[in-house]
Amino acid sequence: MVLLGRPECRVQPTATKVAASADSHPEVVVNRCMPSKDDAAGAHSDAESTAGASSLCGARAPPTDASSDASARSRVRIADLVPWGEVKLGRKILPHCHVAYCVADVYLLSTFLRMAGLHDIGGGGVRLLLRTLKFLRLCDYSAEDICSILAHTSEYVHDVLKACGGRMDEREVGNVVVCLTFMAHSWTQDETCPLGVWHRHIFRDYCTMKTLNLAVVRLFELRRYRMRLPVQKVADNMERLLKAIPQSPAAVRTSR
């Protein structure tokens, strides 16, 4: 099953509104996915996309980031600050650690991959998830917010992999996980970042907005528009993720 192919549209589900009305009115999600001229025009220029992010996202938008990937100097710093022999799945993360916003994201990703059962994820997926964590931090979500998002995402991943994991290739898995992360952030956060901004900063080289929008709607359908999880499960996942974050100030300081 190919959930993503080539995307062009904007989804902006408000967490409570979409969740509350989706069971009885699944068309709510579709109706919030009408394409925007700003998205189509801004997806081809870094300068335009940064300006567009502010207008689309309101309170939640990544600031101008002239160096979206870290410099060679920060690559050395991230690699040297992490005791890779102690990090589960560290061999998968190390080649892409220069993408990480901070050391803490290496530990968060390691824990998340194990929680979600993504032990065999490829390098492209690792890089994409590190970029996603960086994106969330640049949108000024706190560590607790990000852990809440990942706590939900890990459970959503299990359900999707059961439904169609065997029919997704390595690259598809990474993109689907990021789509599920978008859905989890829409459910858990009061201030959300529209899908158009996610596309501009994460997906624009892979697919059009239209396809991305359809993929997200399809994933909502696979979950029957039910995003709520058992309270204890979320609490357990949150505790595990928060414990994974090193307590030293250097671990959460960007190396850019």
Side-chain angles (χ1 to χ4, degrees):
M1 172 184 292
V2 178
L3 290 174
L4 288 174
R6 291 280 175 215
E8 190 115 32
C9 212
R10 182 166 82 227
V11 180
Q12 190 178 1
T14 301
T16 53
K17 291 183 179 178
V18 169
S21 56
D23 286 334
S24 55
H25 300 287
E27 70 275 11
V28 168
V29 177
V30 179
N31 290 340
R32 292 172 185 237
C33 300
M34 299 306 293
S36 163
K37 293 181 180 178
D38 291 339
D39 292 340
H44 306 290
S45 162
D46 286 338
E48 291 178 4
S49 66
T50 304
S54 299
S55 61
L56 283 173
C57 225
R60 294 293 185 182
T64 301
D65 183 13
S67 55
S68 57
D69 281 331
S71 64
R73 180 174 57 185
S74 20
R75 296 181 190 184
V76 174
R77 286 195 59 200
I78 290 282
D80 290 348
L81 287 171
V82 177
W84 294 101
E86 302 174 10
V87 178
K88 300 291 178 62
L89 301 178
R91 287 186 298 176
K92 288 185 175 291
I93 301 173
L94 175 58
H96 310 282
C97 67
H98 61 280
V99 182
Y101 181 77
C102 58
V103 171
D105 285 354
V106 171
Y107 291 91
L108 269 180
L109 180 60
S110 169
T111 302
F112 170 76
L113 291 176
R114 286 179 285 130
M115 288 172 57
L118 297 171
H119 300 83
D120 298 324
I121 192 169
V126 170
R127 183 181 178 89
L128 189 62
L129 290 171
L130 285 173
R131 287 179 59 197
T132 301
L133 291 175
K134 179 178 182 178
F135 172 81
L136 291 171
R137 289 191 182 276
L138 290 174
C139 284
D140 202 29
Y141 289 106
S142 67
E144 289 76 13
D145 290 337
I146 293 173
C147 286
S148 177
I149 292 167
L150 295 180
H152 286 74
T153 304
S154 63
E155 296 302 313
Y156 300 161
V157 169
H158 285 300
D159 295 339
V160 171
L161 290 181
K162 286 178 184 177
C164 53
R167 290 168 286 176
M168 292 190 293
D169 61 26
E170 181 182 286
R171 186 179 185 185
E172 190 73 13
V173 170
N175 283 280
V176 167
V177 173
V178 178
C179 286
L180 293 170
T181 305
F182 164 78
M183 293 162 58
H185 117 285
S186 299
W187 169 252
T188 61
Q189 302 303 306
D190 293 329
E191 295 181 1
T192 61
C193 193
L195 188 60
V197 181
W198 286 66
H199 175 261
R200 185 170 296 148
H201 289 270
I202 300 175
F203 286 108
R204 68 176 180 175
D205 293 332
Y206 175 59
C207 58
T208 66
M209 268 301 302
K210 182 177 181 181
T211 302
L212 180 58
N213 175 72
L214 292 174
V216 170
V217 172
R218 176 58 180 146
L219 289 168
F220 271 118
E221 290 173 347
L222 285 175
R223 290 201 54 80
R224 299 184 179 182
Y225 301 93
R226 294 170 183 165
M227 309 308 293
R228 186 185 300 276
L229 297 174
V231 174
Q232 190 58 51
K233 171 58 70 175
V234 174
D236 291 344
N237 288 354
M238 279 279 293
E239 181 180 11
R240 187 174 174 184
L241 287 161
L242 286 169
K243 283 184 177 179
I245 302 176
Q247 297 303 307
S248 64
V252 293
R253 186 181 304 129
T254 175
S255 59
R256 292 184 302 115

